[in-house]
Amino acid sequence: ARMILMTTYMTGEVPFKHVYLHGLVRDKNGEKMSKSKPETCIDPLDMIEKYGTDAVRLSMVIGGTPGNDMRIYEEKIAGYRNFINKIWNSSRFVLMNLPEGQTDEEFKPSMVKSLADKWIVSRLNSLTKEVNKEIEKFRFSDAGTKIYDFFWSEFCDWYLEISKGELQNPAVLKHVLENTLKLLHPFTPYITEVIWGNLGKKTLLMAEEWPKHSKKLEFKD
């Protein structure tokens, strides 16, 4: 409120059109984190040092909704560190299976071949539509959860396993990874930016165009 009043007074402009407020931050047992009770607090810098910034960011976003209290504790952050490792390892698999010179090739619907290809491309396309809706409505936790579930359960557990056999399609692997990195970037900016660079990209991921739903990539059958 003070920033709004001071900025309006000094510049004649309103600084914010939207303000996103989270609830109280609580410890594992539901107690409010308070300076008067140091045992309830965890130092974010210590957690960043131990588990990485992206894991701390995810633990603060996923599970937190406007007006509702959130619980933050070390085991939760450690769990998201495992997800960050999953992003890194799956990206390495994709990079290892990309033919030389294919990193800059533009993706076309005609590159989708097998039933597995159609399934994962359709799921990514639907996910993009869902995430865009959630973000527009400021439901960041729901958006993050949907990306998390897609990446771990569908892309890694299913499509990457299928891609270890004769149905491997590097073009689809690259397409899904690139667009999932874009969706993940607001939540985990550090690891996604590094992987984007490893893909041979000459521009920063944060400057890329945000993914959009495409009817050409719907394979309902």
Side-chain angles (χ1 to χ4, degrees), residues 4-177:
I4 292 170
L5 288 168
M6 182 61 75
T7 306
T8 307
Y9 174 75
M10 296 296 290
T11 68
E13 296 178 2
V14 178
F16 315 116
K17 291 190 177 179
H18 302 284
V19 179
Y20 184 91
L21 297 175
H22 62 74
L24 293 173
V25 180
R26 298 185 179 274
D27 69 3
K28 186 177 183 179
N29 301 314
E31 282 204 58
K32 174 188 171 185
M33 285 195 184
S34 172
K35 287 185 286 185
S36 60
K37 287 186 175 181
E39 69 275 10
T40 64
C41 300
I42 55 175
D43 190 329
L45 295 178
D46 291 341
M47 294 298 101
I48 287 170
E49 185 69 29
K50 196 169 181 180
Y51 300 109
T53 308
D54 285 331
V56 176
R57 285 173 65 97
L58 277 178
S59 70
M60 295 289 290
V61 175
I62 296 180
T65 54
N68 293 322
D69 297 350
M70 67 173 78
R71 297 191 185 195
I72 303 293
Y73 45 94
E74 188 167 347
E75 293 87 345
K76 182 180 180 182
I77 299 169
Y80 286 116
R81 187 269 314 272
N82 296 339
F83 178 62
I84 300 302
N85 287 342
K86 193 83 170 175
I87 297 172
W88 182 257
N89 291 332
S90 58
S91 299
R92 282 184 61 205
F93 173 82
V94 175
L95 283 162
M96 285 166 52
N97 287 281
L98 283 183
E100 201 167 334
Q102 197 180 25
T103 53
D104 293 328
E105 190 176 359
E106 186 180 350
F107 181 77
K108 303 179 187 70
S110 59
M111 295 175 172
V112 179
K113 305 293 184 185
S114 68
L115 185 64
D117 290 346
K118 291 177 180 179
W119 171 72
I120 196 67
V121 169
S122 294
R123 282 294 302 120
L124 173 64
N125 199 36
S126 299
L127 174 73
T128 302
K129 189 176 183 178
E130 292 168 17
V131 167
N132 285 337
K133 281 185 180 177
E134 301 292 12
I135 289 177
E136 284 167 8
K137 294 177 180 177
F138 302 99
R139 294 203 289 250
F140 304 121
S141 175
D142 292 343
T145 301
K146 287 179 178 180
I147 301 167
Y148 177 101
D149 289 342
F150 168 81
F151 193 87
W152 193 301
S153 301
E154 295 179 271
F155 182 55
C156 294
D157 286 356
W158 281 97
Y159 190 71
L160 287 192
E161 291 303 314
I162 291 168
S163 297
K164 292 174 183 176
E166 60 185 18
L167 293 175
Q168 186 181 103
N169 187 336
V172 171
L173 278 171
K174 175 175 164 287
H175 168 73
V176 176
L177 176 63

